[in-house]
């Protein structure tokens, strides 16, 4: 359960944690639409040393995740600012960062029953 909570917190941040944009920004952010791989590295707290990866999609500026292990929501602004929120089994994490045409990076913070967690994420576009 702790490992899952850590993975969830990491995913939250990773999941393209971008600054909140309006619905119009998200819909107009087609430049970032496509498949992305997000690598997460825990750097502090309960997820220190955690490394994991997720496959995500961005559709009309909205972050989508088809895995059943968490609920992930997020958006990308026209300028590439990303905001993401992940939750599962009472654990949650959020992150922010910046995307460019082919890559991105940012930070995340999360909480679980066993404490707080923080780290960084990096993303690479894997398909248009």
């Amino acid at each position: 359960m702790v490992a899952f909570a850590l993975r969830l917190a990491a995913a939250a941040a990773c999941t393209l944690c971008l600054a909140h944009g309006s619905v119009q920004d998200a819909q107009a952010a087609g430049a970032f639409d496509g498949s992305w791989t997000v690598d997460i590295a825990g750097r502090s707290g309960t997820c220190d040393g955690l490394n994991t990866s997720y496959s995500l999609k961005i559709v009309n500026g909205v972050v989508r995740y088809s895995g059943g292990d968490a609920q992930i929501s997020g958006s990308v602004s026209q300028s590439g600012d990303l905001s993401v929120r992940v939750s599962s089994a009472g654990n949650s994490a959020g992150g922010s960062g910046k995307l460019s045409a082919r890559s991105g990076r940012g930070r995340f913070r999360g909480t679980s029953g066993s404490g707080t967690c923080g780290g960084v994420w990096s993303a690479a576009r894997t398909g248009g």
Side-chain angles (χ1 to χ4, degrees):
M1 181 67 171
V2 171
F4 178 75
L6 296 178
R7 185 174 166 180
L8 172 63
C14 96
T15 12
L16 306 174
C17 309
L18 308 175
H20 293 284
S22 68
V23 172
Q24 290 96 356
D25 285 344
Q27 291 175 343
F32 304 103
D33 285 2
S35 298
W36 294 79
T37 296
V38 179
D39 295 316
I40 300 164
R43 297 281 169 87
S44 67
T46 58
C47 65
D48 189 25
L50 171 76
N51 293 297
T52 192
S53 193
Y54 286 88
S55 295
L56 305 170
K57 286 195 179 212
I58 298 175
V59 179
N60 294 323
V62 176
V63 176
R64 300 188 186 257
Y65 176 63
S66 61
D69 57 338
Q71 294 78 46
I72 298 175
S73 61
S75 62
V76 182
S77 74
Q78 290 181 16
S79 63
D81 292 326
L82 177 71
S83 177
V84 176
R85 188 90 184 137
V86 177
S87 63
S88 178
N91 303 307
S92 64
S96 62
K98 184 87 169 175
L99 293 180
S100 67
R102 308 288 317 154
S103 64
R105 69 173 69 185
R107 297 186 175 278
F108 71 91
R109 277 245 176 260
T111 59
S112 70
S114 57
T116 61
C117 176
V120 296
W121 60 266
S122 62
R125 182 176 277 198
T126 57

